[in-house]
Structure formats: C-alpha cells, structure tokens
Amino acid sequence: MGKCVRDYGMDEKMLETDAARRLIAAHHWHHDFEVIPGVRTHGTYNPEGLWLELELPEDLTGIRLADVGASNGYFSFRAHRQGASVVAFDYRHRDNSGFALLSMIQGVDIPHHQVNVLDASLSAYGPFDIVLMLGLLYHTADPYRALSNGAALASHRLLIESYCIDSELPEALRSEPVMRFLPDPERFPDRGQPNADASNFWGFTSVCLKMMVEDVGFAVDRLRVREQRVLLDAHRVGGEERRQRLAYRCMDHHPPAGDPSEPSSWTIF
C-alpha cells in the first residue's frame, strides 16, 4: 500500500512563513517539530522517534484516533497528515496549549476537547479505533483511573508510553508490579524527582504498567523499555467491567423488600 501523507495545509490556507515563524518564536514549546516547511517549534522534546516506534500504518485513512494528553499537538497533527480522523484531548484549552495556534498556522481543523483524563465523562467521546496516551500517566494523581478512562475510549488498539523505574530498582523489584510516588521537588528536593518537575506524580515498573493495562481489559502485544521510558502496544480483549465497578462506581441501590424486620428483606453486599 502506498504512503498516504497529506500536504501541509491541504484543508485550508496555510499561514505565510514569516508570520508563522514570528508567532512560533514568541512562545515556549514542549514538542519540537516542523509545523510547516521552514518553520519549527524548537521545543524541548523531539517526538519523531516515538512516533516511529508506535508502528502505526502509513495510511490511516478511515481510522478514528484519539490523542489523550495532546499537549502542543504533534501526534494529532501527524496522524491527521497520514489520513486519520483525529480527536485531541488535553487538560488545557486549545488556545492555551498551543494547539489552536499550530492549527491556524497549518490550516487544519482537528476537534479538541478540554477535559481532564481523570474525569469519567471522557468515555462519552468514544469509541476510537486507536487511542494514544503518551507521556501522560505519570503526570496524573490517580494513574489507574486515568488509564481506565482513557482505555474506555479504545475499541481496538491502545498505545501507552510513560516514565519507567526499572533501571532505578534492585533486580528483585524490577519484576514486581511496583509504582513509586514522586513527591513535590520543591518540598523534597532530594527524592529523585525527574527533571525537578512538579507535575510528575508516579513512576512505574514495566511489569506494573503491563498488569494495569491488562487489568482494564487489554492484552499487551508489544512492550519496549528504553532507559527510563516504557512503551506498551495493546489490543482490547474485554473483561474489565467488574474491576471498574468496584473501583469507581456507586453500587446499585436495593431497598428493603417487604417487612424490614425480616432478614430476607435486606440485600447486603
């Protein structure tokens, strides 16, 4: 199958290069990538290598893809260029994450929802064929809930990338489902907070993250650990409903049936 990559700005009119360069240069960026030919964000992190490691089809035409935790939008824009129908999610509004500015520069219009991944309403936007949750879980206070909510969007494939602590632990612990709390670097400056970043809350062993992904109803097809990063590629198999009900949902109400003085009238669980 031939490579399907859209030209920059094929949807609308791309912004003129000098104007785009002036807008980009005025702000700090996380994702480092070429927005349009000759204009680059010069951010702190180049996501191109991770994109290649996702091993997504070159032609994503007809695929619905969710980018949960989209940040500046590199993965959303790249998937869009390769034909996917993309919806982006981030806890920041698109006007404040840079997503709207980069959309304007490229002349593309990708739906973007401001929603926290810990908000259960996220699932209302699905389903999607592919869900990306890249560099996200360790930034959340409740990573199991975040994973559960994001995974609920995926009808088939789920890709997770996160901070991994395998190399920081004794050999005996690396094969255990261990999650390490990362305290506020200002209050606890000597406790190993990566990059002294206050938005980091948890580190995971690769085994821990694999078991969490399996626990929310997926089978892991591919797991790659590289230094302090882990990537998991999984597909849905189901069977997570009971765990989700126990973890976060209120149980159904069963009022007393008949005479409340009779034990059989009460449903207790």
Side-chain angles (χ1 to χ4, degrees):
M1 183 178 291
K3 188 174 183 179
C4 176
V5 179
R6 302 180 182 184
D7 292 332
Y8 289 95
M10 71 168 291
D11 298 306
E12 301 174 17
K13 183 172 175 58
M14 191 170 57
L15 200 65
E16 190 271 333
T17 300
D18 288 342
R21 189 176 290 116
R22 178 176 58 84
L23 287 166
I24 292 293
H27 301 280
H28 172 78
W29 301 93
H30 175 53
H31 289 161
D32 174 20
F33 68 106
E34 186 177 65
V35 184
I36 58 175
V39 178
R40 194 172 189 90
T41 59
H42 297 290
T44 56
Y45 163 62
N46 187 333
E48 175 70 22
L50 178 55
W51 173 264
L52 297 176
E53 289 190 68
L54 298 181
E55 298 181 3
L56 295 175
E58 290 186 345
D59 186 356
L60 291 169
T61 302
I63 298 295
R64 279 178 49 81
L65 183 145
D67 184 8
V68 183
S71 188
N72 303 148
Y74 168 80
F75 295 98
S76 294
F77 298 127
R78 182 64 182 264
H80 173 79
R81 288 187 61 214
Q82 293 188 197
S85 175
V86 178
V87 179
F89 301 88
D90 202 82
Y91 76 107
R92 292 170 293 179
H93 193 278
R94 60 184 293 152
D95 290 346
N96 307 118
S97 67
F99 197 99
L101 175 56
L102 298 180
S103 296
M104 181 185 76
I105 290 172
Q106 295 177 82
V108 301
D109 184 17
I110 295 174
H112 183 289
H113 300 284
Q114 183 184 15
V115 58
N116 193 301
V117 70
L118 296 179
D119 187 340
S121 67
L122 181 68
S123 62
Y125 295 99
F128 294 88
D129 304 299
I130 299 172
V131 171
L132 307 181
M133 300 182 73
L134 309 175
L136 174 64
L137 292 181
Y138 61 99
H139 290 300
T140 66
D142 185 346
Y144 186 88
R145 182 164 196 162
L147 175 60
S148 176
N149 288 346
L153 294 172
S155 61
H156 177 58
R157 191 174 175 190
L158 176 67
L159 288 135
I160 304 284
E161 193 272 346
S162 193
Y163 171 52
C164 180
I165 60 173
D166 285 3
S167 64
E168 302 172 25
L169 296 178
E171 185 68 33
L173 288 177
R174 294 178 190 175
S175 59
E176 296 295 325
V178 174
M179 194 162 70
R180 175 190 173 200
F181 176 62
L182 303 173
D184 185 342
E186 291 187 6
R187 298 179 61 200
F188 304 94
D190 301 321
R191 298 309 297 265
Q193 178 64 275
N195 304 318
D197 186 347
S199 74
N200 296 332
F201 286 89
W202 300 97
F204 313 88
T205 60
S206 55
V207 170
C208 177
L209 203 53
K210 179 177 183 290
M211 291 182 71
M212 289 170 64
V213 169
E214 292 170 341
D215 206 61
V216 297
F218 288 76
V220 175
D221 302 306
R222 184 166 53 103
L223 187 152
R224 184 273 295 159
V225 176
R226 183 169 298 162
E227 296 179 346
Q228 293 183 318
R229 310 299 299 188
V230 57
L231 172 68
L232 296 95
D233 189 347
H235 72 275
R236 177 174 288 284
V237 293
E240 76 285 1
E241 293 82 3
R242 184 178 68 89
R243 289 282 285 176
Q244 307 315 302
R245 185 172 65 252
L246 292 172
Y248 298 115
R249 300 172 190 169
C250 291
M251 301 297 287
D252 294 336
H253 174 214
H254 298 270
D259 184 354
S261 66
E262 293 295 327
S264 61
S265 297
W266 296 89
T267 301
I268 306 296
F269 46 79

